[in-house]
Amino acid sequence: MNTEILKIILRDKGLKATTKRLSILEAIIKLNSHPTAEEIIKYIRNQNRNIATATVYKALDILVTRKVIIKVETGKKTIRYDAVPEPHHHLYSAESNMIKDYENEEINMILEKYFEKNKIRDFDIEEIKLQIIGKFRNNNK
């Protein structure tokens, strides 16, 4: 994704397209592995760009709040970030700590129909996300 598209994404969410926000978004997209904040910081610094740790955490919180990115919590309580804000599910391997996106329209329809029929008392569902935990075969990929 080029910088101009990232700028449009930020502006569409009411955010200024600052160099630091662009660097953080670029890192999340290029790492393509649901990176942690620490991995994002390391990536940016390896690109010979200086960024304060607190700046990254603050920017990540803003990007999550504005739904530019999403937070993904693993079974190890590690917070990771996903550049795909549209609803989707995740496959998570606790063994390798790897997360992959998983999309399946049939599962989405089954879940939506189930919860339409079997409402949870005193609770309004806003979004349904599955995190399927297992092990990846073929070298944990």
Side-chain angles (χ1 to χ4, degrees):
M1 202 174 288
N2 71 34
T3 304
E4 289 308 311
I5 293 172
L6 295 178
K7 286 180 181 179
I8 291 167
I9 290 169
L10 289 170
R11 289 183 189 134
D12 284 350
K13 297 292 185 172
L15 295 169
K16 290 182 183 178
T18 65
T19 305
K20 291 176 181 174
R21 286 181 184 150
L22 290 167
S23 293
I24 291 166
L25 267 179
E26 175 192 313
I28 296 169
I29 292 165
K30 291 217 173 152
L31 288 169
N32 194 29
S33 61
H34 302 80
T36 63
E38 293 77 21
E39 291 167 337
I40 294 165
I41 293 164
K42 182 178 177 182
Y43 176 88
I44 293 169
R45 289 180 180 162
N46 283 341
Q47 302 299 312
N48 293 319
R49 292 180 251 164
N50 195 12
I51 193 162
T53 300
T55 300
V56 172
Y57 280 97
K58 183 177 177 184
L60 287 169
D61 286 342
I62 290 167
L63 294 172
V64 168
T65 300
R66 293 293 182 97
K67 299 186 187 316
V68 176
I69 61 173
I70 61 171
K71 270 187 192 181
V72 179
E73 190 171 329
T74 68
K76 295 180 180 178
K77 303 296 182 208
T78 302
I79 301 296
R80 301 173 83 82
Y81 297 90
D82 190 344
V84 180
E86 292 80 22
H88 63 282
H89 310 292
H90 291 106
L91 302 175
Y92 172 65
S93 169
E95 183 178 76
S96 65
N97 208 28
M98 182 182 288
I99 299 174
K100 289 191 176 193
D101 291 339
Y102 180 72
E103 295 182 38
N104 184 303
E105 265 315 301
E106 184 178 3
I107 287 176
N108 295 344
M109 290 185 340
I110 290 168
L111 289 170
E112 286 173 21
K113 285 179 183 177
Y114 176 85
F115 285 110
E116 281 176 19
K117 180 180 173 187
N118 302 288
K119 298 193 182 296
I120 300 171
R121 182 190 248 200
D122 298 325
F123 187 78
D124 295 323
I125 296 173
E126 296 175 1
E127 184 177 11
I128 300 171
K129 296 181 195 176
L130 287 180
Q131 182 160 287
I132 303 165
I133 300 170
K135 294 179 184 175
F136 291 105
R137 284 180 243 130
N138 303 326
N139 297 328
N140 296 325
K141 292 184 180 179

Short mmCIF file of all heavy atoms in Angstrom, two decimals, residues 65-123:
data_model
loop_
_atom_site.label_atom_id
_atom_site.label_comp_id
_atom_site.label_asym_id
_atom_site.label_seq_id
_atom_site.Cartn_x
_atom_site.Cartn_y
_atom_site.Cartn_z
N THR A 65 -8.72 3.40 18.32
CA THR A 65 -9.95 4.14 18.67
C THR A 65 -10.69 4.60 17.42
O THR A 65 -11.91 4.53 17.35
CB THR A 65 -9.61 5.35 19.56
OG1 THR A 65 -8.98 4.87 20.75
CG2 THR A 65 -10.85 6.15 19.92
N ARG A 66 -9.94 5.04 16.41
CA ARG A 66 -10.55 5.53 15.17
C ARG A 66 -10.82 4.41 14.17
O ARG A 66 -11.23 4.65 13.05
CB ARG A 66 -9.64 6.58 14.52
CG ARG A 66 -9.51 7.86 15.32
CD ARG A 66 -10.85 8.62 15.37
NE ARG A 66 -10.72 9.85 16.09
CZ ARG A 66 -10.54 11.03 15.54
NH1 ARG A 66 -10.49 11.15 14.23
NH2 ARG A 66 -10.41 12.10 16.28
N LYS A 67 -10.56 3.17 14.57
CA LYS A 67 -10.83 1.98 13.75
C LYS A 67 -10.04 1.94 12.43
O LYS A 67 -10.50 1.43 11.43
CB LYS A 67 -12.33 1.84 13.48
CG LYS A 67 -13.13 1.67 14.77
CD LYS A 67 -14.58 1.40 14.49
CE LYS A 67 -15.47 1.39 15.67
NZ LYS A 67 -15.18 0.76 16.85
N VAL A 68 -8.81 2.47 12.50
CA VAL A 68 -7.90 2.35 11.37
C VAL A 68 -7.26 0.97 11.42
O VAL A 68 -7.03 0.33 10.41
CB VAL A 68 -6.82 3.46 11.41
CG1 VAL A 68 -5.80 3.29 10.28
CG2 VAL A 68 -7.47 4.84 11.34
N ILE A 69 -6.96 0.52 12.64
CA ILE A 69 -6.39 -0.81 12.89
C ILE A 69 -7.19 -1.44 14.03
O ILE A 69 -8.01 -0.77 14.66
CB ILE A 69 -4.89 -0.74 13.27
CG1 ILE A 69 -4.69 0.07 14.56
CG2 ILE A 69 -4.07 -0.16 12.11
CD1 ILE A 69 -3.27 0.07 15.10
N ILE A 70 -6.93 -2.72 14.30
CA ILE A 70 -7.57 -3.36 15.44
C ILE A 70 -6.53 -4.01 16.33
O ILE A 70 -5.43 -4.35 15.89
CB ILE A 70 -8.63 -4.41 15.02
CG1 ILE A 70 -8.01 -5.53 14.19
CG2 ILE A 70 -9.79 -3.77 14.30
CD1 ILE A 70 -8.95 -6.69 13.92
N LYS A 71 -6.90 -4.17 17.60
CA LYS A 71 -6.07 -4.88 18.56
C LYS A 71 -6.47 -6.34 18.52
O LYS A 71 -7.65 -6.66 18.44
CB LYS A 71 -6.36 -4.39 19.98
CG LYS A 71 -5.55 -3.25 20.46
CD LYS A 71 -5.87 -3.03 21.93
CE LYS A 71 -5.30 -1.73 22.40
NZ LYS A 71 -5.58 -1.49 23.82
N VAL A 72 -5.48 -7.20 18.63
CA VAL A 72 -5.72 -8.64 18.72
C VAL A 72 -4.98 -9.12 19.95
O VAL A 72 -3.77 -8.94 20.07
CB VAL A 72 -5.20 -9.38 17.46
CG1 VAL A 72 -5.45 -10.87 17.59
CG2 VAL A 72 -5.82 -8.82 16.20
N GLU A 73 -5.73 -9.73 20.87
CA GLU A 73 -5.10 -10.25 22.08
C GLU A 73 -4.91 -11.75 21.93
O GLU A 73 -5.82 -12.46 21.54
CB GLU A 73 -5.97 -9.96 23.30
CG GLU A 73 -5.27 -10.25 24.59
CD GLU A 73 -6.04 -9.77 25.80
OE1 GLU A 73 -6.75 -8.76 25.70
OE2 GLU A 73 -5.92 -10.43 26.84
N THR A 74 -3.72 -12.21 22.23
CA THR A 74 -3.43 -13.63 22.11
C THR A 74 -3.69 -14.33 23.44
O THR A 74 -3.96 -13.69 24.45
CB THR A 74 -1.95 -13.87 21.73
OG1 THR A 74 -1.12 -13.46 22.83
CG2 THR A 74 -1.57 -13.09 20.49
N GLY A 75 -3.59 -15.64 23.42
CA GLY A 75 -3.75 -16.41 24.64
C GLY A 75 -2.70 -16.08 25.67
O GLY A 75 -2.88 -16.33 26.86
N LYS A 76 -1.59 -15.52 25.24
CA LYS A 76 -0.52 -15.15 26.17
C LYS A 76 -0.69 -13.71 26.65
O LYS A 76 0.22 -13.13 27.22
CB LYS A 76 0.83 -15.31 25.49
CG LYS A 76 1.17 -16.74 25.13
CD LYS A 76 2.50 -16.84 24.46
CE LYS A 76 2.80 -18.29 24.12
NZ LYS A 76 4.08 -18.44 23.43
N LYS A 77 -1.84 -13.13 26.37
CA LYS A 77 -2.17 -11.76 26.76
C LYS A 77 -1.25 -10.73 26.11
O LYS A 77 -1.09 -9.62 26.59
CB LYS A 77 -2.15 -11.58 28.29
CG LYS A 77 -3.09 -12.52 29.00
CD LYS A 77 -4.53 -12.25 28.64
CE LYS A 77 -5.45 -13.19 29.41
NZ LYS A 77 -6.67 -13.46 28.73
N THR A 78 -0.66 -11.09 25.00
CA THR A 78 0.15 -10.16 24.22
C THR A 78 -0.77 -9.39 23.29
O THR A 78 -1.62 -9.98 22.64
CB THR A 78 1.20 -10.93 23.38
OG1 THR A 78 2.00 -11.71 24.26
CG2 THR A 78 2.07 -9.99 22.58
N ILE A 79 -0.60 -8.09 23.25
CA ILE A 79 -1.41 -7.27 22.35
C ILE A 79 -0.67 -7.16 21.02
O ILE A 79 0.51 -6.80 20.97
CB ILE A 79 -1.65 -5.85 22.93
CG1 ILE A 79 -2.35 -5.93 24.28
CG2 ILE A 79 -2.43 -4.99 21.94
CD1 ILE A 79 -3.74 -6.50 24.24
N ARG A 80 -1.40 -7.46 19.96
CA ARG A 80 -0.84 -7.36 18.61
C ARG A 80 -1.77 -6.46 17.81
O ARG A 80 -2.90 -6.19 18.23
CB ARG A 80 -0.72 -8.76 18.00
CG ARG A 80 0.17 -9.66 18.85
CD ARG A 80 0.16 -11.09 18.37
NE ARG A 80 1.08 -11.32 17.28
CZ ARG A 80 2.37 -11.54 17.41
NH1 ARG A 80 2.92 -11.54 18.59
NH2 ARG A 80 3.13 -11.76 16.36
N TYR A 81 -1.32 -6.02 16.66
CA TYR A 81 -2.09 -5.07 15.86
C TYR A 81 -2.31 -5.60 14.46
O TYR A 81 -1.44 -6.23 13.87
CB TYR A 81 -1.40 -3.70 15.86
CG TYR A 81 -1.34 -3.13 17.25
CD1 TYR A 81 -0.26 -3.40 18.09
CD2 TYR A 81 -2.40 -2.39 17.76
CE1 TYR A 81 -0.24 -2.92 19.40
CE2 TYR A 81 -2.39 -1.92 19.06
CZ TYR A 81 -1.31 -2.18 19.87
OH TYR A 81 -1.29 -1.71 21.16
N ASP A 82 -3.49 -5.31 13.94
CA ASP A 82 -3.92 -5.82 12.64
C ASP A 82 -4.32 -4.64 11.77
O ASP A 82 -5.14 -3.80 12.19
CB ASP A 82 -5.09 -6.77 12.85
CG ASP A 82 -5.49 -7.55 11.62
OD1 ASP A 82 -5.09 -7.17 10.51
OD2 ASP A 82 -6.23 -8.54 11.77
N ALA A 83 -3.79 -4.58 10.57
CA ALA A 83 -4.08 -3.48 9.64
C ALA A 83 -5.38 -3.68 8.89
O ALA A 83 -5.76 -2.84 8.09
CB ALA A 83 -2.92 -3.31 8.66
N VAL A 84 -6.07 -4.79 9.15
CA VAL A 84 -7.35 -5.05 8.48
C VAL A 84 -8.46 -4.79 9.50
O VAL A 84 -8.75 -5.65 10.33
CB VAL A 84 -7.42 -6.51 7.96
CG1 VAL A 84 -8.75 -6.77 7.28
CG2 VAL A 84 -6.25 -6.80 7.03
N PRO A 85 -9.07 -3.60 9.45
CA PRO A 85 -10.09 -3.29 10.45
C PRO A 85 -11.46 -3.91 10.18
O PRO A 85 -12.31 -3.95 11.06
CB PRO A 85 -10.18 -1.76 10.40
CG PRO A 85 -9.79 -1.42 8.99
CD PRO A 85 -8.77 -2.47 8.59
N GLU A 86 -11.67 -4.42 8.96
CA GLU A 86 -12.95 -5.04 8.64
C GLU A 86 -13.09 -6.34 9.45
O GLU A 86 -12.10 -7.00 9.73
CB GLU A 86 -13.04 -5.36 7.14
CG GLU A 86 -13.11 -4.14 6.24
CD GLU A 86 -11.75 -3.49 5.99
OE1 GLU A 86 -10.71 -4.17 6.15
OE2 GLU A 86 -11.73 -2.29 5.67
N PRO A 87 -14.33 -6.69 9.80
CA PRO A 87 -14.54 -7.90 10.61
C PRO A 87 -13.97 -9.16 9.94
O PRO A 87 -14.19 -9.40 8.76
CB PRO A 87 -16.07 -7.99 10.71
CG PRO A 87 -16.55 -6.60 10.50
CD PRO A 87 -15.56 -5.98 9.53
N HIS A 88 -13.22 -9.90 10.71
CA HIS A 88 -12.67 -11.18 10.27
C HIS A 88 -12.22 -11.95 11.51
O HIS A 88 -12.23 -11.42 12.60
CB HIS A 88 -11.51 -11.00 9.27
CG HIS A 88 -10.33 -10.29 9.83
ND1 HIS A 88 -10.28 -8.93 9.99
CD2 HIS A 88 -9.14 -10.77 10.28
CE1 HIS A 88 -9.11 -8.59 10.51
NE2 HIS A 88 -8.41 -9.69 10.70
N HIS A 89 -11.85 -13.19 11.32
CA HIS A 89 -11.46 -14.05 12.42
C HIS A 89 -9.95 -14.28 12.37
O HIS A 89 -9.28 -13.87 11.43
CB HIS A 89 -12.22 -15.38 12.33
CG HIS A 89 -13.69 -15.19 12.15
ND1 HIS A 89 -14.51 -14.66 13.12
CD2 HIS A 89 -14.50 -15.42 11.09
CE1 HIS A 89 -15.75 -14.59 12.68
NE2 HIS A 89 -15.77 -15.05 11.44
N HIS A 90 -9.45 -14.95 13.41
CA HIS A 90 -8.01 -15.23 13.47
C HIS A 90 -7.73 -16.68 13.83
O HIS A 90 -8.46 -17.29 14.60
CB HIS A 90 -7.34 -14.33 14.52
CG HIS A 90 -7.32 -12.90 14.12
ND1 HIS A 90 -8.13 -11.97 14.67
CD2 HIS A 90 -6.58 -12.26 13.18
CE1 HIS A 90 -7.91 -10.80 14.10
NE2 HIS A 90 -6.97 -10.95 13.19
N LEU A 91 -6.67 -17.19 13.22
CA LEU A 91 -6.11 -18.49 13.59
C LEU A 91 -4.87 -18.17 14.42
O LEU A 91 -4.03 -17.39 13.99
CB LEU A 91 -5.71 -19.28 12.34
CG LEU A 91 -6.81 -19.55 11.32
CD1 LEU A 91 -6.24 -20.23 10.09
CD2 LEU A 91 -7.93 -20.39 11.94
N TYR A 92 -4.78 -18.76 15.59
CA TYR A 92 -3.68 -18.44 16.49
C TYR A 92 -3.00 -19.71 16.97
O TYR A 92 -3.66 -20.63 17.45
CB TYR A 92 -4.19 -17.65 17.70
CG TYR A 92 -3.15 -17.45 18.78
CD1 TYR A 92 -2.01 -16.70 18.53
CD2 TYR A 92 -3.29 -18.04 20.02
CE1 TYR A 92 -1.05 -16.53 19.51
CE2 TYR A 92 -2.34 -17.88 21.01
CZ TYR A 92 -1.22 -17.12 20.75
OH TYR A 92 -0.26 -16.96 21.71
N SER A 93 -1.68 -19.74 16.83
CA SER A 93 -0.89 -20.86 17.33
C SER A 93 -0.15 -20.39 18.58
O SER A 93 0.74 -19.55 18.49
CB SER A 93 0.12 -21.32 16.28
OG SER A 93 1.04 -22.23 16.86
N ALA A 94 -0.54 -20.91 19.73
CA ALA A 94 0.13 -20.57 20.98
C ALA A 94 1.57 -21.08 20.96
O ALA A 94 2.46 -20.47 21.55
CB ALA A 94 -0.62 -21.17 22.16
N GLU A 95 1.79 -22.16 20.23
CA GLU A 95 3.13 -22.76 20.15
C GLU A 95 4.12 -21.82 19.47
O GLU A 95 5.22 -21.61 19.96
CB GLU A 95 3.02 -24.07 19.38
CG GLU A 95 4.30 -24.85 19.26
CD GLU A 95 4.06 -26.15 18.51
OE1 GLU A 95 3.92 -26.11 17.28
OE2 GLU A 95 4.01 -27.18 19.19
N SER A 96 3.71 -21.23 18.35
CA SER A 96 4.62 -20.35 17.61
C SER A 96 4.29 -18.87 17.81
O SER A 96 5.02 -18.01 17.35
CB SER A 96 4.54 -20.66 16.11
OG SER A 96 3.24 -20.35 15.62
N ASN A 97 3.17 -18.57 18.48
CA ASN A 97 2.69 -17.21 18.69
C ASN A 97 2.33 -16.52 17.38
O ASN A 97 2.33 -15.30 17.29
CB ASN A 97 3.69 -16.38 19.51
CG ASN A 97 3.00 -15.30 20.30
OD1 ASN A 97 1.84 -15.43 20.67
ND2 ASN A 97 3.70 -14.22 20.55
N MET A 98 2.04 -17.30 16.35
CA MET A 98 1.70 -16.77 15.04
C MET A 98 0.19 -16.59 14.92
O MET A 98 -0.58 -17.42 15.42
CB MET A 98 2.18 -17.71 13.93
CG MET A 98 1.89 -17.21 12.53
SD MET A 98 2.42 -18.39 11.27
CE MET A 98 4.18 -18.21 11.40
N ILE A 99 -0.21 -15.50 14.28
CA ILE A 99 -1.62 -15.23 14.03
C ILE A 99 -1.81 -15.03 12.54
O ILE A 99 -1.00 -14.35 11.89
CB ILE A 99 -2.09 -13.95 14.74
CG1 ILE A 99 -1.91 -14.07 16.24
CG2 ILE A 99 -3.54 -13.62 14.39
CD1 ILE A 99 -2.23 -12.78 16.98
N LYS A 100 -2.87 -15.62 12.00
CA LYS A 100 -3.22 -15.41 10.59
C LYS A 100 -4.69 -15.04 10.51
O LYS A 100 -5.50 -15.54 11.30
CB LYS A 100 -2.95 -16.66 9.76
CG LYS A 100 -1.49 -16.95 9.56
CD LYS A 100 -1.30 -18.02 8.54
CE LYS A 100 0.19 -18.22 8.27
NZ LYS A 100 0.41 -19.02 7.09
N ASP A 101 -5.01 -14.18 9.56
CA ASP A 101 -6.41 -13.83 9.33
C ASP A 101 -7.14 -15.02 8.74
O ASP A 101 -6.57 -15.82 8.00
CB ASP A 101 -6.51 -12.65 8.36
CG ASP A 101 -6.00 -11.36 8.97
OD1 ASP A 101 -5.94 -11.26 10.20
OD2 ASP A 101 -5.67 -10.44 8.20
N TYR A 102 -8.42 -15.14 9.09
CA TYR A 102 -9.26 -16.21 8.58
C TYR A 102 -10.62 -15.62 8.25
O TYR A 102 -11.29 -15.04 9.11
CB TYR A 102 -9.39 -17.33 9.61
CG TYR A 102 -10.25 -18.47 9.15
CD1 TYR A 102 -9.81 -19.34 8.17
CD2 TYR A 102 -11.51 -18.68 9.69
CE1 TYR A 102 -10.59 -20.40 7.74
CE2 TYR A 102 -12.30 -19.74 9.27
CZ TYR A 102 -11.84 -20.59 8.29
OH TYR A 102 -12.62 -21.64 7.87
N GLU A 103 -11.00 -15.74 6.99
CA GLU A 103 -12.30 -15.23 6.56
C GLU A 103 -13.13 -16.39 6.02
O GLU A 103 -12.63 -17.22 5.27
CB GLU A 103 -12.12 -14.17 5.48
CG GLU A 103 -11.41 -12.94 5.99
CD GLU A 103 -11.27 -11.86 4.96
OE1 GLU A 103 -12.21 -11.66 4.17
OE2 GLU A 103 -10.21 -11.21 4.94
N ASN A 104 -14.39 -16.44 6.46
CA ASN A 104 -15.28 -17.50 6.01
C ASN A 104 -16.70 -16.98 6.13
O ASN A 104 -17.24 -16.84 7.23
CB ASN A 104 -15.07 -18.75 6.87
CG ASN A 104 -15.88 -19.92 6.39
OD1 ASN A 104 -17.10 -19.83 6.29
ND2 ASN A 104 -15.22 -21.02 6.11
N GLU A 105 -17.32 -16.68 5.00
CA GLU A 105 -18.67 -16.12 4.98
C GLU A 105 -19.69 -17.07 5.58
O GLU A 105 -20.64 -16.64 6.22
CB GLU A 105 -19.09 -15.76 3.55
CG GLU A 105 -18.86 -14.33 3.14
CD GLU A 105 -19.29 -13.29 4.16
OE1 GLU A 105 -20.48 -13.25 4.55
OE2 GLU A 105 -18.45 -12.51 4.59
N GLU A 106 -19.51 -18.37 5.37
CA GLU A 106 -20.46 -19.35 5.90
C GLU A 106 -20.49 -19.30 7.42
O GLU A 106 -21.56 -19.29 8.04
CB GLU A 106 -20.11 -20.76 5.41
CG GLU A 106 -21.11 -21.80 5.85
CD GLU A 106 -20.78 -23.19 5.33
OE1 GLU A 106 -19.75 -23.38 4.67
OE2 GLU A 106 -21.58 -24.10 5.62
N ILE A 107 -19.31 -19.24 8.05
CA ILE A 107 -19.25 -19.14 9.51
C ILE A 107 -19.90 -17.84 9.97
O ILE A 107 -20.65 -17.83 10.95
CB ILE A 107 -17.78 -19.23 10.02
CG1 ILE A 107 -17.28 -20.67 9.88
CG2 ILE A 107 -17.68 -18.76 11.47
CD1 ILE A 107 -15.84 -20.85 10.25
N ASN A 108 -19.63 -16.75 9.26
CA ASN A 108 -20.24 -15.47 9.63
C ASN A 108 -21.76 -15.56 9.62
O ASN A 108 -22.42 -15.10 10.55
CB ASN A 108 -19.78 -14.35 8.68
CG ASN A 108 -18.30 -14.08 8.79
OD1 ASN A 108 -17.65 -14.47 9.75
ND2 ASN A 108 -17.77 -13.40 7.80
N MET A 109 -22.31 -16.15 8.57
CA MET A 109 -23.77 -16.27 8.45
C MET A 109 -24.34 -17.18 9.55
O MET A 109 -25.38 -16.88 10.14
CB MET A 109 -24.16 -16.77 7.07
CG MET A 109 -23.92 -15.74 5.99
SD MET A 109 -24.46 -16.16 4.31
CE MET A 109 -24.61 -17.89 4.24
N ILE A 110 -23.66 -18.29 9.84
CA ILE A 110 -24.11 -19.20 10.89
C ILE A 110 -24.15 -18.48 12.24
O ILE A 110 -25.13 -18.57 12.99
CB ILE A 110 -23.21 -20.46 10.96
CG1 ILE A 110 -23.42 -21.34 9.73
CG2 ILE A 110 -23.46 -21.25 12.25
CD1 ILE A 110 -22.39 -22.43 9.56
N LEU A 111 -23.08 -17.76 12.56
CA LEU A 111 -23.02 -17.03 13.83
C LEU A 111 -24.08 -15.94 13.92
O LEU A 111 -24.74 -15.79 14.95
CB LEU A 111 -21.62 -16.43 14.02
CG LEU A 111 -20.50 -17.41 14.30
CD1 LEU A 111 -19.15 -16.73 14.23
CD2 LEU A 111 -20.69 -18.08 15.65
N GLU A 112 -24.25 -15.18 12.83
CA GLU A 112 -25.25 -14.12 12.83
C GLU A 112 -26.65 -14.69 13.03
O GLU A 112 -27.43 -14.18 13.84
CB GLU A 112 -25.18 -13.33 11.52
CG GLU A 112 -23.98 -12.42 11.44
CD GLU A 112 -23.82 -11.77 10.08
OE1 GLU A 112 -24.80 -11.70 9.30
OE2 GLU A 112 -22.69 -11.32 9.79
N LYS A 113 -26.97 -15.77 12.31
CA LYS A 113 -28.30 -16.38 12.44
C LYS A 113 -28.50 -16.96 13.85
O LYS A 113 -29.57 -16.82 14.43
CB LYS A 113 -28.48 -17.49 11.39
CG LYS A 113 -28.71 -16.94 10.00
CD LYS A 113 -28.87 -18.07 9.00
CE LYS A 113 -29.03 -17.48 7.59
NZ LYS A 113 -29.11 -18.53 6.58
N TYR A 114 -27.46 -17.59 14.37
CA TYR A 114 -27.55 -18.16 15.71
C TYR A 114 -27.90 -17.08 16.74
O TYR A 114 -28.78 -17.25 17.57
CB TYR A 114 -26.24 -18.87 16.10
CG TYR A 114 -26.29 -19.39 17.52
CD1 TYR A 114 -26.86 -20.62 17.81
CD2 TYR A 114 -25.79 -18.63 18.56
CE1 TYR A 114 -26.93 -21.08 19.11
CE2 TYR A 114 -25.86 -19.08 19.87
CZ TYR A 114 -26.43 -20.30 20.14
OH TYR A 114 -26.52 -20.75 21.43
N PHE A 115 -27.16 -15.98 16.70
CA PHE A 115 -27.38 -14.94 17.70
C PHE A 115 -28.63 -14.11 17.45
O PHE A 115 -29.16 -13.50 18.36
CB PHE A 115 -26.13 -14.07 17.86
CG PHE A 115 -25.04 -14.78 18.62
CD1 PHE A 115 -23.88 -15.19 17.98
CD2 PHE A 115 -25.19 -15.08 19.97
CE1 PHE A 115 -22.89 -15.86 18.68
CE2 PHE A 115 -24.21 -15.75 20.67
CZ PHE A 115 -23.06 -16.14 20.02
N GLU A 116 -29.11 -14.08 16.22
CA GLU A 116 -30.41 -13.46 15.97
C GLU A 116 -31.50 -14.28 16.65
O GLU A 116 -32.42 -13.74 17.26
CB GLU A 116 -30.70 -13.37 14.47
CG GLU A 116 -30.00 -12.24 13.77
CD GLU A 116 -30.24 -12.27 12.26
OE1 GLU A 116 -31.21 -12.91 11.80
OE2 GLU A 116 -29.44 -11.65 11.55
N LYS A 117 -31.38 -15.60 16.55
CA LYS A 117 -32.37 -16.51 17.12
C LYS A 117 -32.22 -16.62 18.64
O LYS A 117 -33.21 -16.65 19.37
CB LYS A 117 -32.22 -17.90 16.49
CG LYS A 117 -33.19 -18.91 17.00
CD LYS A 117 -32.97 -20.25 16.32
CE LYS A 117 -33.86 -21.32 16.96
NZ LYS A 117 -33.54 -22.64 16.45
N ASN A 118 -30.99 -16.69 19.11
CA ASN A 118 -30.69 -16.91 20.53
C ASN A 118 -30.03 -15.68 21.13
O ASN A 118 -28.85 -15.70 21.45
CB ASN A 118 -29.77 -18.12 20.70
CG ASN A 118 -30.36 -19.37 20.11
OD1 ASN A 118 -31.29 -19.92 20.65
ND2 ASN A 118 -29.82 -19.79 18.98
N LYS A 119 -30.77 -14.65 21.26
CA LYS A 119 -30.22 -13.40 21.79
C LYS A 119 -29.68 -13.60 23.21
O LYS A 119 -30.19 -14.41 23.97
CB LYS A 119 -31.27 -12.31 21.79
CG LYS A 119 -31.77 -11.98 20.40
CD LYS A 119 -32.55 -10.71 20.41
CE LYS A 119 -33.10 -10.39 19.04
NZ LYS A 119 -32.17 -10.12 18.02
N ILE A 120 -28.67 -12.85 23.54
CA ILE A 120 -28.11 -12.88 24.89
C ILE A 120 -28.85 -11.81 25.69
O ILE A 120 -28.88 -10.64 25.29
CB ILE A 120 -26.59 -12.61 24.88
CG1 ILE A 120 -25.88 -13.68 24.04
CG2 ILE A 120 -26.05 -12.58 26.31
CD1 ILE A 120 -24.42 -13.39 23.79
N ARG A 121 -29.42 -12.22 26.78
CA ARG A 121 -30.23 -11.31 27.59
C ARG A 121 -29.41 -10.12 28.08
O ARG A 121 -28.28 -10.28 28.53
CB ARG A 121 -30.78 -12.07 28.78
CG ARG A 121 -31.67 -11.25 29.65
CD ARG A 121 -31.95 -12.02 30.89
NE ARG A 121 -33.34 -12.41 30.91
CZ ARG A 121 -33.96 -12.75 32.02
NH1 ARG A 121 -33.31 -12.77 33.15
NH2 ARG A 121 -35.22 -13.07 31.99
N ASP A 122 -29.98 -8.93 27.94
CA ASP A 122 -29.37 -7.68 28.42
C ASP A 122 -28.00 -7.41 27.78
O ASP A 122 -27.10 -6.86 28.43
CB ASP A 122 -29.23 -7.70 29.95
CG ASP A 122 -30.58 -7.79 30.63
OD1 ASP A 122 -31.55 -7.21 30.11
OD2 ASP A 122 -30.65 -8.44 31.69
N PHE A 123 -27.84 -7.83 26.53
CA PHE A 123 -26.56 -7.63 25.85
C PHE A 123 -26.80 -7.39 24.37
O PHE A 123 -27.51 -8.17 23.72
CB PHE A 123 -25.67 -8.87 26.04
CG PHE A 123 -24.26 -8.70 25.52
CD1 PHE A 123 -23.32 -8.00 26.26
CD2 PHE A 123 -23.88 -9.24 24.30
CE1 PHE A 123 -22.03 -7.85 25.79
CE2 PHE A 123 -22.60 -9.09 23.82
CZ PHE A 123 -21.66 -8.39 24.57
#
